């Protein structure tokens, strides 16, 4: 069974929207304009590329990342690994040709079936709606969270507000950095 990992930059109040400067959000770019950059706080990002066997994205994040990541040296490992886009609307002609093999999945059931196949971990970047639906379906196995010392108020959140049973997490790795960022790696307890 494959491990499904959600990775996110998240404010202390749970907002994940527009951390890198994406347009349309009041506090866009909050990860770099409001917190001092310390390279050691981002070590996990490089490790994720080396340890992952595939990349999963929702349609909106795929469209944003596929426009820039294929040509970025910082994301070279992602260029060659298989990609899965979970979308009910994206069509084959909407896939880019310079970012390796990409498969479109249409449902959480297809994600569950993919998890049953052989292969290494699958990492999810961005993809707020996808993260919430897969979390609610009990399909995410681990969370890699870089928690920023900011309260952003309104904005898209990583977790849904669905009324559901408690889901227990086990903290397996953590570190706090001088700029206030906290790394928290949680495994979902089954």
């Amino acid at each position: 069974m494959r491990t499904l990992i959600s990775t996110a930059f998240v404010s202390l109040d749970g907002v994940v929207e527009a951390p890198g400067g994406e347009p349309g959000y009041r506090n866009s770019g909050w990860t770099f304009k409001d917190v001092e950059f310390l390279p050691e706080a981002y070590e996990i990002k490089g490790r994720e590329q080396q340890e992952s066997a595939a990349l999963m994205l929702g349609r909106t994040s795929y469209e944003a990342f596929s426009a820039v990541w294929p040509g970025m040296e910082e994301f070279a490992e992602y260029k060659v690994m298989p990609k899965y886009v979970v979308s009910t609307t994206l069509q084959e002609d909407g896939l880019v040709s310079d970012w390796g093999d990409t498969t479109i999945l249409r449902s959480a059931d297809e994600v569950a079936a993919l998890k049953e196949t052989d292969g290494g971990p699958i990492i999810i970047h961005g993809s707020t709606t996808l993260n919430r639906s897969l979390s609610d379906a009990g399909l995410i196995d681990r969370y890699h969270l870089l928690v920023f010392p900011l309260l952003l108020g309104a904005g898209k959140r990583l977790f849904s507000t669905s009324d559901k049973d408690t889901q227990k997490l086990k903290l397996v790795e953590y570190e706090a950095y001088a700029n206030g960022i906290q790394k928290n790696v949680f495994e979902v307890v089954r």
Side-chain angles (χ1 to χ4, degrees):
M1 183 172 205
R2 299 178 81 165
T3 302
L4 192 56
I5 303 166
S6 171
T7 184
F9 295 138
V10 59
S11 69
L12 190 58
D13 57 349
V15 175
V16 293
E17 186 168 356
E22 299 80 357
Y25 176 60
R26 175 184 178 171
N27 294 313
S28 184
W30 50 270
T31 59
F32 62 86
K33 72 178 183 183
D34 295 321
V35 178
E36 176 190 0
F37 178 77
L38 292 178
E40 59 270 24
Y42 299 91
E43 172 275 334
I44 194 168
K45 297 286 128 201
R47 189 167 22 122
E48 287 170 346
Q49 287 187 70
Q50 294 169 0
E51 294 175 355
S52 298
L55 176 63
M56 182 175 286
L57 301 162
R59 181 195 50 81
T60 302
S61 291
Y62 173 79
E63 289 172 347
F65 295 161
S66 68
V68 292
W69 279 19
M72 294 180 71
E73 188 176 315
E74 301 95 307
F75 303 110
E77 286 90 352
Y78 287 138
K79 184 169 184 170
V80 297
M81 70 177 60
K83 284 155 219 64
Y84 299 93
V85 182
V86 183
S87 173
T88 59
T89 58
L90 184 66
Q91 299 302 315
E92 292 290 329
D93 62 0
L95 299 176
V96 298
S97 61
D98 63 342
W99 207 22
D101 293 336
T102 304
T103 302
I104 299 172
L105 305 176
R106 298 294 182 196
S107 68
D109 288 340
E110 289 187 20
V111 173
L114 175 63
K115 283 185 62 173
E116 296 295 326
T117 64
D118 291 332
I122 303 167
I123 192 136
I124 305 170
H125 279 275
S127 309
T128 309
T129 302
L130 176 62
N131 265 289
R132 288 192 302 254
S133 66
L134 295 180
S135 178
D136 286 351
L139 294 174
I140 295 180
D141 302 296
R142 188 180 320 144
Y143 293 95
H144 291 184
L145 305 178
L146 286 182
V147 182
F148 285 70
L150 302 168
L151 300 175
L152 299 175
K156 294 178 185 175
R157 296 196 160 17
L158 183 61
F159 300 102
S160 77
T161 57
S162 298
D163 185 14
K164 60 183 180 180
D165 291 338
T166 301
Q167 187 174 49
K168 186 169 171 55
L169 305 175
K170 178 182 178 185
L171 184 64
V172 295
E173 183 182 341
Y174 61 92
E175 192 160 349
Y177 302 95
N179 61 0
I181 293 175
Q182 296 175 25
K183 172 179 64 179
N184 294 295
V185 176
F186 294 99
E187 288 184 356
V188 175
V189 177
R190 305 241 189 254

